[in-house]
Amino acid sequence: MSDRLKTAGSQQTLNDSYELENQIGFLLRRAHQRHVSIFTEHMPSGLTTQQFAVLRRLSETGQLSQNELGRQAAMDQSTINGVVQRLLKRGFIFKTPSNTDKRMVLLELTEDGHAMLLDVMGAASDVSDLTLEPLKPQQRATLLKLLRQIS
């Protein structure tokens, strides 16, 4: 039996050395919650972090299949499907058949989607700065480098 879990008769007690506040998952979730709160407060037009990521990725790459877009935006199939449906409804992206594979549908920014992205890029940069505001410049660079290594 692991030394982390101690058994006393039929009752199990946890070792007190595991402090939730010092665990990577807990800290990442808290940092993510802080970022989303800042994003929601400062991003005009009601875009979510996921919608912004999809619009930005499409602006960088051009046409992508929904499957590839999900991979590149780090979203699972059900999440990317919902995000795409909402962006289609808002008129920010459109579907077009692939020239090379008749079974594939490609997604692309509309003019409104491109204009929306241009309008919010300044706010997006501000959100990143505000999220990292408690850190000194060198600490920001280190944090970003470390997060890239574990993601």
Side-chain angles (χ1 to χ4, degrees):
M1 176 177 282
S2 167
D3 63 346
R4 292 184 185 154
L5 187 62
K6 297 177 182 176
T7 303
S10 63
Q11 290 185 325
Q12 294 180 337
T13 59
L14 295 175
N15 185 332
D16 288 337
S17 67
Y18 186 97
E19 295 176 0
L20 185 61
E21 292 78 13
N22 294 323
Q23 303 308 311
I24 184 67
F26 182 81
L27 293 169
L28 285 172
R29 186 167 42 83
R30 295 259 329 253
H32 181 256
Q33 288 170 335
R34 179 177 188 280
H35 171 72
V36 170
S37 176
I38 292 168
F39 186 95
T40 302
E41 182 180 337
H42 291 87
M43 185 59 64
S45 76
L47 281 179
T48 67
T49 58
Q50 295 157 325
Q51 291 170 351
F52 174 78
V54 164
L55 293 176
R56 182 65 184 141
R57 184 57 72 203
L58 285 173
S59 77
E60 294 168 346
T61 61
Q63 295 180 334
L64 286 174
S65 70
Q66 183 170 307
N67 198 10
E68 182 61 24
L69 180 58
R71 280 194 294 276
Q72 290 195 25
M75 294 178 207
D76 62 38
Q77 274 304 112
S78 63
T79 302
I80 191 66
N81 185 50
V83 171
V84 163
Q85 293 308 312
R86 286 185 285 284
L87 290 174
L88 285 166
K89 188 179 280 188
R90 291 181 74 176
F92 294 151
I93 61 174
F94 68 97
K95 293 180 178 182
T96 185
S98 169
N99 291 333
T100 58
D101 184 345
K102 297 300 178 194
R103 299 168 295 168
M104 186 182 300
V105 174
L106 300 174
L107 300 169
E108 190 172 346
L109 284 179
T110 63
E111 286 184 26
D112 286 346
H114 184 72
M116 168 60 70
L117 195 56
L118 287 174
D119 286 345
V120 302
M121 286 307 298
S125 292
D126 291 345
V127 166
S128 291
D129 289 341
L130 289 167
T131 299
L132 295 170
E133 188 175 50
L135 303 176
K136 295 175 183 170
Q138 183 58 40
Q139 292 173 315
R140 292 176 184 200
T142 299
L143 175 62
L144 294 173
K145 178 182 176 185
L146 292 171
L147 288 172
R148 279 188 210 96
Q149 288 178 356
I150 65 171
S151 62

